[in-house]
Amino acid sequence: MGVPEEVAAIRQSAALSRMDHVRCVCVRGERAYEALDGVVTSDLRVRDGQMIHSLLLEDDGRIVADIHLGRDGEEFLIFSEGPDSVELQDYLHRHLGAAGAEFEDWSQARALLMINGPYAWELLALLLGGDVVGLPYLTLFHFDDGICFRAGKTGEYGYGILIPRENLESLWMRLLEMGRALDVTVAGLDALDQCALENWYFNIRREGREPVTPVEVQLQWRVSNRKSYVGSECVARRRQEGPRQRITCLVTEGPIAVGDAIEIDGSPVGWVVNAGHSSTLDRWVSLGLLDIRWAHSGLDVFRVRAAGGEVGARTMSPPLVNNRSLHVSPQIHSYATRHEFTFPPLRRP
Amino acid sequence: MSTNLHEQIQQRLAVLEEVRTMLIERLRVARDSDEIDPDTPLFGSGLGLDSIDAVELLVCLTADFGTKLPDDATGRAEMRSVNSLVDIILAARETANGRA
């Protein structure tokens, strides 16, 4: 099965993914809250069982990690994308350890799975019972020997399941077996990345490689304007000066690649920082780091210097997909009865 | 920069600022205008608007901008981000100007 089929499952049924690229760290200790509050970029207003979507920055404001942070009693769980285990531990040691918090990398002992799709809740209900369909976005709960949370970066219903690693294979097989009636498919990282691109979820492995702060990548909503955190001085300065560039979504008539120059009337105005063919939309989608003067949606004036020749491009407002999950209600719909309803097309006009 | 393109950008920036002001003043988003990036999600973890805010947003779009979303299904898709609001306001004004 290829990426288009995996993406189709995420967009129209449900898909199961191993999330070995996500590091999970438990932070605890009397100073855990204060220490974390001085590190994560968002306001740390998180009660037991709640999660936030936030960032970790370096002192110069560059983005180090894209994180979900959950509160589990007196402990905090960080689900981090970006740095590997060694890099993340080094970062946490420098910033959390110095502030008096203890942390433990759970990534070796535990495994993380994700279920994404408009009917992901149906598979989860088969596993954990019908109550889970009411789980609010960005909340977590314990079950047996695992933790389940609702989050995701595909634009569809998304649920994470953190379990002891020795239980991974049996749970994986069980979910695939349970999911047969839902046409559950296994989706890899390429499919998840394509969905993130279609829906404008920040990708630390693509645009996150650029030396950018949250200001250039339009993530100021994940940044507190009330507190100090690692990198906050640089972010505040960048905001005050005004960004010179901003990430903007483009669609093109043909293939393009990361690093391709973006021009207007032959003059360079930016470059491609993430690109891929969207099988959902059947068009090429990209993110450009554009000169701030041109970083606006709705402009049909760009040319991309791609390997295969010049390609026309226009900026658009993401998300580019009309996510089916917006129109599927666990109280009304089910995968078995999906043909009895008419849903809007996945492709936005 | 051609005059048309310059005007298109200025028009978009003006509507973007109007939407930001509406979000801050009418929907009590606790942010400065320049902290609200154009592609910021409105609901969920973005600006954190909820279903009650969605109703207020519809009222504001109608009362302040003369823009009415066609139906519930389309409306949900159109109210995803700050920029998607700007898009529908610009489209509505263009339609209105075409009629005039």
Side-chain angles (χ1 to χ4, degrees):
Chain A
M1 186 166 287
V3 171
E5 290 78 17
E6 295 172 20
V7 169
I10 294 172
R11 293 289 180 224
Q12 297 177 59
S13 54
L16 188 59
S17 301
R18 286 180 64 143
M19 306 297 281
D20 293 335
H21 60 287
V22 177
R23 319 309 307 176
C24 178
V25 174
C26 176
V27 181
R28 58 171 76 94
E30 281 183 22
R31 300 266 309 146
Y33 181 91
E34 289 76 10
L36 277 169
D37 197 34
V39 176
V40 300
T41 57
S42 316
D43 289 317
L44 201 53
R45 296 196 203 106
V46 55
R47 291 194 295 269
D48 185 19
Q50 289 185 328
M51 302 179 83
I52 55 171
H53 201 177
S54 191
L55 299 166
L56 301 178
L57 309 183
E58 284 294 3
D59 289 318
D60 62 4
R62 276 182 304 120
I63 300 173
V64 174
D66 179 12
I67 66 165
H68 279 99
L69 185 147
R71 184 165 192 165
D72 183 22
E74 295 306 309
E75 296 181 336
F76 295 87
L77 301 178
I78 297 175
F79 298 93
S80 162
E81 282 192 64
D84 64 24
S85 189
V86 173
E87 291 164 341
L88 182 62
Q89 290 205 49
D90 174 60
Y91 180 92
L92 295 177
H93 183 73
R94 278 188 284 130
H95 297 293
L96 280 184
E102 303 158 21
F103 61 90
E104 182 185 353
D105 188 348
W106 280 6
S107 306
Q108 294 302 315
R110 289 168 176 80
L112 180 64
L113 307 177
M114 286 291 299
I115 309 170
N116 291 293
Y119 299 94
W121 49 271
E122 214 171 333
L123 178 59
L124 195 70
L126 290 172
L127 179 72
L128 298 176
D131 288 348
V132 297
V133 300
L135 187 68
Y137 181 56
L138 293 182
T139 56
L140 63 85
F141 69 95
H142 281 261
F143 70 93
D144 300 332
D145 52 2
I147 292 173
C148 176
F149 61 86
R150 184 172 162 204
K153 298 175 185 175
T154 66
E156 310 296 344
Y157 288 105
Y159 301 92
I161 302 174
L162 185 71
I163 48 164
R165 191 164 286 277
E166 62 264 27
N167 298 348
L168 172 63
E169 291 310 319
S170 61
L171 179 64
W172 182 264
M173 298 311 292
R174 203 170 150 212
L175 284 167
L176 287 177
E177 182 63 32
M178 285 173 160
R180 273 191 192 174
L182 305 174
D183 294 332
V184 165
T185 293
V186 174
L189 191 54
D190 287 344
L192 294 174
D193 281 350
Q194 184 187 310
C195 290
L197 179 60
E198 291 169 350
N199 255 82
W200 182 256
Y201 277 94
F202 173 68
N203 190 329
I204 188 82
R205 294 175 300 282
R206 304 280 180 91
E207 59 269 27
R209 286 183 176 176
E210 300 291 327
V212 287
T213 75
V215 179
E216 287 85 11
V217 292
Q218 302 206 46
L219 288 178
Q220 291 191 78
W221 59 270
R222 290 202 221 169
V223 168
S224 172
N225 58 5
R226 311 160 192 244
K227 67 168 191 179
S228 292
Y229 51 86
V230 177
S232 59
E233 285 179 16
C234 281
V235 172
R237 195 161 52 242
R238 189 66 58 93
R239 181 186 295 154
Q240 202 170 17
E241 291 166 353
R244 291 179 187 158
Q245 296 164 309
R246 184 164 61 209
I247 293 258
T248 306
C249 181
L250 296 116
V251 291
T252 59
E253 298 155 4
I256 54 170
V258 170
D260 288 348
I262 304 170
E263 300 178 345
I264 297 178
D265 295 335
S267 301
V269 295
W271 63 93
V272 176
V273 293
N274 190 352
H277 181 260
S278 163
S279 48
T280 311
L281 306 168
D282 194 21
R283 57 168 59 161
W284 284 81
V285 177
S286 66
L287 302 179
L289 191 57
L290 296 182
D291 183 313
I292 195 71
R293 291 173 296 169
W294 309 102
H296 307 288
S297 182
L299 304 183
D300 194 3
V301 293
F302 300 95
R303 306 289 296 175
V304 180
R305 281 199 176 275
E310 265 192 21
V311 178
R314 64 190 171 101
T315 50
M316 282 189 73
S317 305
L320 304 177
V321 177
N322 191 357
N323 298 106
R324 182 70 41 92
S325 294
L326 283 176
H327 310 284
V328 168
S329 165
Q331 283 75 36
I332 300 168
H333 302 101
S334 71
Y335 188 68
T337 62
R338 67 193 182 283
H339 297 304
E340 296 171 19
F341 298 88
T342 304
F343 296 106
L346 296 173
R347 183 175 177 161
R348 287 183 62 201
Chain B
M1 192 189 307
S2 74
T3 312
N4 277 351
L5 184 56
H6 179 75
E7 279 174 11
Q8 190 185 349
I9 291 172
Q10 290 310 309
Q11 199 176 24
R12 186 165 192 99
L13 284 171
V15 174
L16 175 64
E17 207 47 47
E18 287 180 65
V19 170
R20 284 167 163 162
T21 303
M22 174 191 72
L23 291 166
I24 293 166
E25 293 182 355
R26 302 284 293 274
L27 289 130
R28 300 165 299 284
V29 170
R31 291 282 184 177
D32 290 336
S33 178
D34 65 350
E35 292 176 66
I36 302 175
D37 296 313
D39 288 314
T40 303
L42 296 172
F43 297 91
S45 56
L47 292 181
L49 301 187
D50 59 22
S51 53
I52 296 168
D53 295 321
V55 176
E56 178 68 15
L57 197 55
L58 286 170
V59 171
C60 291
L61 284 173
T62 308
D64 300 357
F65 296 98
T67 304
K68 207 167 186 178
L69 294 178
D71 60 48
D72 187 46
T74 312
R76 262 176 269 172
E78 300 297 353
M79 294 205 302
R80 306 285 295 272
S81 71
V82 176
N83 245 345
S84 58
L85 292 182
V86 174
D87 286 343
I88 56 173
I89 292 166
L90 284 169
R93 288 183 179 174
E94 201 172 312
T95 306
N97 289 338
R99 278 200 216 106

